[in-house]
Amino acid sequence: MGFLHHTFSDIYTRQDNWLTKTDVRIKLLYIVLLLTINLWSQNIFVSLLFLPVSFLLLLLIKIPIMAMLRSMLLPVSFAILILFIKGLHEGEKEWLSFSFVGYKVILKEEGLRSGLHTCSKVLGGISIVIIFSFTTSISQLCAGLKWFRLPNTIIELLSFIYRYVFILLDEASTMWTAQKSRLGHASWKKVIKSFGTLAGMLIIRAFERAERTNEAMQVRGYEGGGILTINLPPWRKQEYASVLGLALILPILIYIGSMQIW
Amino acid sequence: MGFFVLGRGQLRRVIIIFSIVFVFLLFTSQHAIYAMHITEGILPPRWVFTWFAVSMPFVGIGIYHIKRKKKIVPSYLPLVGMLGAAVFVFSCFPIPVIALNGMTTSHPCGTGMSAVLLGPFVSVVVAAIALLIQALFLAHGGLTTLGGNIFSMGILGSFSGYFAFKIAQRCRLSLFWCGFLAGMISDLFTYLGTSIELGLLVINKGGSFFKATAEIFAVFMMTSQGILCIVEGVVVGLALLFIYKRKPSILLHLGVIKNDTKPIRA
């Protein structure tokens, strides 16, 4: 159960570097616009450009390469699945055919071409997202989303859920270890029964904790209004320069992305 | 014109290597198969907008429900947040895939459980937040595919689970079986939703939507998720039964049961 603590990429957001110090609003602007370009690009080059740039930037701020690869593993496996689905279903021109357990598999050229285009978009998109996730904490994200006028309820719930996920994860982990050490995982039947008990206990603990948290919040003056008080400072020269940089990069990326080269 | 810079023979080798890597990832990962969320970059722009347009009204209604309830009961927000966190942790349980003799693990959706405890609209909001956290901090799912994932996991998962639970209650089934049906059906519908979204990608490109959807759904069911649906159903049923035995006031408070519900032993 403890693996999630290591999998969450925000453990690197506490590092002191120029990317973690960059204003969250700028990062959100970049991520949204670059993801849009990645989505609309007509060729693989723009999307594939994001991959080395992202890796380079993350290596510069000393993010372990294994952490980056771990983040990319699942999206890449999904992308390969899509490559096969498209190769099997799209187009007419046969490129490769073989028999697999009595089922004739025909991979088509148009489908594989389209599948590879999708794979490049997956790599590009994930490269953009991991830069954001490795350098932005949840409190920064909430402050940024608040600035962009996202509903307060969503932001408050996001901060609540994120804060208590780790506490409940620790509790679940302790119970999991206790079950395991008392032969609660000795057979499939026992494993499933132990999971049921664990899930039930987790809900009970969450309910009790919610009551305690509410009491604590009321003591501090909470009456059902907003709970977030973080306000971002006005933009400085650096932020304006970053927006200007984005305005300069965007037309170039849009131009390259619109070329029908591949 | 050649399809690649690589020659035909080289490309064939690349594809064979890719298949081996994929099969390896699918069957031997020691952590988890996270197959239920569509990853970043998979959906083309028109489907990105379509799924966002479909999902946002449900999220909006969910927010309205939470806001209205928060005004009447100030403790509602911490309650939803805490139960949302618990369901998130529940959805991270590494359940061994029995069909593959425990070689790998998968994870439950959790939306069936959250829909039963919080109601379908609030469950959609909780699922949307969980998906956002997963997309940003676990690279699982994506931001452009968030709408599609909310549709499959949040909307289809929550509503199917909720209605399965309510129908089972109407049929006077015991609490375990009500929970079992909610967990299993929400899982099945989540995978069906993902399969439909992926199947729709082959439309207008000479492919058959129904064939693609059926094949994707069959792959999900045959690899690990078919058994997982049943396991999630059993776990949700046992969890509700456990809560009922230890703290029935929680289920009464959340409106999950009335006093006349008859539980049976698993």
Side-chain angles (χ1 to χ4, degrees):
Chain A
M1 288 292 282
F3 72 90
L4 260 183
H5 284 286
H6 308 291
T7 318
F8 269 91
S9 48
D10 76 332
I11 51 170
Y12 302 102
T13 60
R14 286 161 228 141
Q15 290 178 358
D16 188 27
N17 57 59
W18 66 276
L19 268 173
T20 50
K21 280 184 200 159
T22 304
D23 193 294
V24 66
R25 293 164 290 190
I26 299 296
K27 283 193 264 191
L28 280 169
L29 263 179
Y30 266 83
I31 192 176
V32 169
L33 292 170
L34 293 181
L35 281 176
T36 310
I37 289 174
N38 182 55
L39 206 63
W40 251 288
S41 80
Q42 303 291 311
N43 56 60
I44 61 169
F45 299 108
V46 170
S47 303
L48 289 182
L49 178 75
F50 293 138
L51 183 69
V53 172
S54 164
F55 265 58
L56 193 70
L57 286 173
L58 291 174
L59 284 173
L60 281 175
I61 59 164
K62 295 190 175 77
I63 302 290
I65 193 145
M66 283 314 289
M68 291 185 245
L69 292 176
R70 203 167 44 222
S71 300
M72 312 264 323
L73 190 69
L74 292 164
V76 169
S77 59
F78 206 99
I80 296 167
L81 173 70
I82 291 297
L83 176 73
F84 275 92
I85 291 165
K86 289 202 166 193
L88 288 170
H89 292 282
E90 277 181 31
E92 303 274 314
K93 201 173 167 190
E94 187 181 318
W95 181 78
L96 176 77
S97 67
F98 57 91
S99 185
F100 182 71
V101 285
Y103 185 83
K104 198 177 182 203
V105 180
I106 304 167
L107 291 171
K108 290 147 195 163
E109 195 174 308
E110 297 93 327
L112 286 175
R113 188 194 292 263
S114 158
L116 273 166
H117 194 203
T118 309
C119 278
S120 70
K121 281 176 189 277
V122 171
L123 288 174
I126 287 295
S127 308
I128 297 164
V129 173
I130 61 170
I131 283 219
F132 185 83
S133 64
F134 278 119
T135 59
T136 314
S137 66
I138 191 78
S139 51
Q140 287 174 323
L141 174 68
C142 288
L145 293 177
K146 195 182 172 195
W147 194 83
F148 281 105
R149 300 276 184 275
L150 231 79
N152 263 340
T153 312
I154 288 269
I155 301 168
E156 285 164 7
L157 270 180
L158 173 66
S159 58
F160 246 114
I161 291 177
Y162 196 81
R163 166 150 167 43
Y164 287 100
V165 154
F166 295 100
I167 294 169
L168 292 176
L169 207 58
D170 281 338
E171 287 195 12
S173 191
T174 311
M175 289 188 267
W176 168 282
T177 313
Q179 285 181 335
K180 226 175 171 179
S181 61
R182 284 166 179 79
L183 298 177
H185 294 185
S187 64
W188 296 120
K189 206 180 159 191
K190 280 190 173 179
V191 169
I192 293 167
K193 204 176 172 193
S194 300
F195 271 129
T197 318
L198 182 50
M201 199 62 220
L202 208 58
I203 299 292
I204 293 174
R205 293 265 171 99
F207 194 87
E208 288 170 350
R209 197 178 278 275
E211 283 181 343
R212 284 205 305 273
T213 307
N214 176 55
E215 282 160 11
M217 283 164 75
Q218 278 187 346
V219 167
R220 291 172 202 146
Y222 176 70
E223 288 170 342
I227 55 168
L228 285 177
T229 50
I230 317 156
N231 281 315
L232 289 167
W235 281 18
R236 297 157 298 169
K237 275 181 196 166
Q238 295 101 299
E239 279 81 52
Y240 285 111
S242 305
V243 173
L244 190 68
L246 184 63
L248 290 172
I249 297 166
L250 277 184
I252 301 167
L253 290 175
I254 291 170
Y255 177 71
I256 301 171
S258 62
M259 289 160 85
Q260 302 268 358
I261 10 180
W262 197 82
Chain B
M1 193 183 145
F3 154 41
F4 278 116
V5 183
L6 294 167
R8 208 178 162 94
Q10 283 172 299
L11 183 61
R12 195 168 299 168
R13 246 176 292 158
V14 168
I15 288 197
I16 289 166
I17 291 165
F18 265 37
S19 350
I20 293 166
V21 169
F22 176 67
V23 171
F24 175 79
L25 286 172
L26 197 66
F27 291 105
T28 62
S29 161
Q30 286 302 306
H31 290 303
I33 295 174
Y34 289 119
M36 68 182 66
H37 311 321
I38 300 174
T39 201
E40 185 64 60
I42 296 280
L43 295 178
R46 67 181 172 134
W47 287 116
V48 168
F49 287 106
T50 305
W51 294 124
F52 266 107
V54 170
S55 304
M56 283 311 119
F58 287 87
V59 177
I61 296 170
I63 292 171
Y64 171 74
H65 272 257
I66 298 170
K67 269 186 171 175
R68 201 185 54 180
K69 198 99 189 250
K70 199 174 88 170
K71 273 184 190 161
I72 307 163
V73 189
S75 64
Y76 191 65
L77 191 80
L79 181 69
V80 175
M82 209 65 77
L83 288 177
V87 172
F88 187 95
V89 173
F90 168 67
S91 76
C92 296
F93 282 6
I95 291 180
V97 179
I98 300 166
L100 299 173
N101 201 26
M103 274 198 301
T104 185
T105 57
S106 194
H107 73 117
C109 288
T111 36
M113 173 93 93
S114 69
V116 168
L117 296 174
L118 299 166
F121 283 108
V122 178
S123 174
V124 173
V125 178
V126 169
I129 291 168
L131 286 165
L132 181 68
I133 292 173
Q134 288 176 346
L136 281 175
F137 298 106
L138 293 168
H140 177 27
L143 292 179
T144 59
T145 54
L146 194 62
N149 288 330
I150 292 174
F151 173 75
S152 58
M153 199 177 107
I155 299 170
L156 285 185
S158 299
F159 279 86
S160 60
Y162 180 78
F163 285 119
F165 188 82
K166 288 291 167 194
I167 292 167
Q169 268 190 331
R170 279 276 170 91
C171 296
R172 299 209 162 267
L173 292 183
S174 69
L175 187 60
F176 170 79
W177 288 108
C178 295
F180 172 78
L181 286 172
M184 189 184 74
I185 287 173
S186 79
D187 225 11
L188 274 174
F189 270 79
T190 299
Y191 284 104
L192 186 64
T194 308
S195 308
I196 290 170
E197 286 167 18
L198 294 178
L200 282 169
L201 298 183
V202 300
I203 273 189
N204 296 337
K205 290 191 178 171
S208 159
F209 160 68
F210 290 107
K211 197 179 164 208
T213 304
E215 280 180 8
I216 298 162
F217 191 64
V219 168
F220 277 146
M221 290 301 119
M222 283 189 298
T223 49
S224 60
Q225 314 305 328
I227 301 289
L228 183 77
C229 293
I230 299 167
V231 173
E232 178 162 356
V234 176
V235 171
V236 172
L238 288 173
L240 290 178
L241 204 61
F242 182 82
I243 301 167
Y244 182 79
K245 281 178 190 167
R246 298 294 157 113
K247 289 255 175 170
S249 57
I250 293 178
L251 298 182
L252 284 166
H253 179 88
L254 294 171
V256 178
I257 53 161
K258 289 166 193 165
N259 287 323
D260 59 345
T261 309
K262 292 176 204 161
I264 56 161
R265 283 185 184 278

